[in-house]
Amino acid sequence: MVFDSSMATARNRFAQAGATISKAFEASDLATGEQVTPPDLVDAIAQLLEILERNPVDDPTPAMQEEGEADKIGNHAMNFLHDLGVYSDRLKLPETTAELQQVAIAVAMWMASWEVPIQHIDMVVNGLGQLANKSSDVEELRRIRSMMQRVADHASADIKADLETSNPYRAWRILLLNEGIAAVRGQDPEGIREAFDQIRERLADDAEPFFAEAAQQVAQGDFPPEVAETVRGYAG
């Protein structure tokens, strides 16, 4: 099944996820302190997603064409989704958290189309990882890899600086490694070269072990010769 990253579908997904979280929160004794509550976040995100749907890059409203507006609106939506995802986890709603992550993919693709920096990538990285893990279709895996690359290209400068190298679970590292895996599984030599070059450049400490593992995987699997040769070329 091809993933639908349209904002219309994202809004439908969010309507259901938001209702589930709001209902669970009202029935819980979860403390929020001085923080914004889940229903507040649900209302804010719903409004932001409506704005995003009304403003595709090829037919925006005059207000969205103001300098910095797409950056501000897109990052507000992504940050609020992250905050709501934290509440969803605290309420023990893993399936709803997964739905929020799929919504985050649509927001990230909207931001990429506007070419604005994504300041918070955790939700979308997890969502894309889920899609890749569930798919065995070569063409769909290629599309997922392409979306991963768009997120990598449009991640903020702070994320790309990758200063938290001691944390192996940081979203930036997971994104780049997942892209490499998706490229191999998608049997895409050009995508493999693009993803592997990126790993070599941006994750130098991970590169050689990753390439060796990828070479072992293609040796054990049924991959086209060009794919296997491309991967082996990086493994030395």
Side-chain angles (χ1 to χ4, degrees):
M1 181 177 178
V2 176
F3 176 73
D4 183 355
S5 62
S6 71
M7 197 55 61
T9 297
R11 287 184 66 197
N12 288 334
R13 282 179 178 271
F14 183 75
Q16 298 177 30
T20 298
I21 292 172
S22 293
K23 183 178 179 179
F25 174 72
E26 295 299 337
S28 76
D29 57 358
L30 193 67
T32 63
E34 299 298 321
Q35 298 177 1
V36 177
T37 67
D40 293 333
L41 287 168
V42 168
D43 289 344
I45 294 167
Q47 293 177 37
L48 289 168
L49 293 180
E50 182 180 358
I51 293 171
L52 299 188
E53 186 180 13
R54 291 204 315 263
N55 286 277
V57 70
D58 57 352
D59 187 25
T61 62
M64 189 58 69
Q65 297 179 60
E66 295 291 329
E67 184 176 356
E69 193 66 14
D71 186 337
K72 179 178 72 176
I73 297 297
N75 277 300
H76 276 331
M78 192 68 80
N79 292 341
F80 289 168
L81 279 168
H82 174 270
D83 292 344
L84 190 60
V86 172
Y87 275 121
S88 184
D89 287 341
R90 292 178 65 192
L91 290 165
K92 296 180 170 48
L93 299 170
E95 293 183 359
T96 305
T97 300
E99 283 296 295
L100 295 180
Q101 291 167 352
Q102 303 308 301
V103 174
I105 294 173
V107 173
M109 294 303 101
W110 184 92
M111 295 175 72
S113 71
W114 276 91
E115 298 189 354
V116 296
I118 305 170
Q119 304 290 346
H120 223 309
I121 65 170
D122 299 64
M123 291 287 285
V124 66
V125 169
N126 289 334
L128 288 168
Q130 284 184 51
L131 287 182
N133 288 338
K134 292 177 180 178
S135 180
S136 59
D137 181 80
V138 169
E139 291 302 322
E140 179 67 356
L141 284 164
R142 291 181 180 185
R143 182 166 176 262
I144 293 167
R145 188 211 71 82
S146 178
M147 288 193 288
M148 291 175 174
Q149 184 60 54
R150 292 187 75 192
V151 174
D153 287 343
H154 293 90
S156 70
D158 286 346
I159 292 172
K160 290 179 178 178
D162 197 24
L163 299 179
E164 298 181 6
T165 54
S166 62
N167 176 14
Y169 302 107
R170 64 195 186 278
W172 178 243
R173 177 179 182 268
I174 292 170
L175 173 64
L176 301 190
L177 295 180
N178 280 351
E179 184 184 342
I181 293 168
V184 174
R185 292 181 60 218
Q187 301 181 13
D188 179 10
E190 182 178 351
I192 291 168
R193 286 188 286 270
E194 186 173 88
F196 281 29
D197 285 347
Q198 182 171 242
I199 290 170
R200 177 178 281 162
E201 177 184 353
R202 293 173 165 170
L203 297 176
D205 291 342
D206 290 291
E208 295 309 318
F210 179 85
F211 298 156
E213 176 65 21
Q216 185 176 9
Q217 291 297 318
V218 298
Q220 296 172 349
D222 183 19
F223 289 88
E226 185 181 2
V227 170
E229 182 179 351
T230 302
V231 172
R232 284 197 298 267
Y234 282 86

